[in-house]
Amino acid sequence: MRIPRFDYTPSSRLRFILRGGSPHRASEWADLPDRPLEEQLAEIVQEVGLRGEAAERKRLADQQAREVQQKRWEAAVQEAHAAYDGVPLCGVGDLRG
């Protein structure tokens, strides 16, 4: 009797677990008797793509928020400089007590 190279009966032991990002559908897929893992590959690939797109949108939004914050900071610094440019500075010798 020869032992086959492959086990063609789904055992539910083979799992694909996707961590990280924001889940859209599932995060775990298993090899099931009525639905083998290879039949679920399209769904897995779609989930990976959706999470990647969501991560890219978040990255761009975070970058844009940092740029807006930087511009506000620069405007505040310029405003502060403009407000205090005409104010004479007094040195230590100018103080009379």
Side-chain angles (χ1 to χ4, degrees):
M1 178 172 164
R2 186 167 191 211
I3 298 173
R5 280 183 69 185
F6 302 103
D7 182 7
Y8 294 104
T9 306
S11 66
S12 299
R13 291 183 296 185
L14 181 59
R15 295 189 178 282
F16 187 90
I17 300 171
L18 184 60
R19 302 216 170 149
S22 53
H24 294 274
R25 291 195 175 97
S27 291
E28 187 172 335
W29 297 264
D31 198 21
L32 303 172
D34 60 331
R35 192 160 181 226
L37 196 58
E38 57 267 17
E39 289 181 10
Q40 302 174 59
L41 288 177
E43 185 180 329
I44 295 169
V45 169
Q46 184 180 31
E47 181 67 20
V48 170
L50 289 171
R51 289 187 192 196
E53 290 169 2
E56 180 64 11
R57 282 192 304 272
K58 183 182 181 324
R59 185 191 70 79
L60 291 172
D62 290 348
Q63 179 181 353
Q64 185 178 12
R66 283 190 303 273
E67 289 171 0
V68 167
Q69 184 179 14
Q70 180 67 29
K71 287 178 183 178
R72 286 182 182 161
W73 171 255
E74 291 169 1
V77 168
Q78 286 180 348
E79 186 178 320
H81 280 294
Y84 291 102
D85 275 347
V87 176
L89 297 175
C90 56
V92 174
D94 295 338
L95 296 177
R96 297 189 183 127

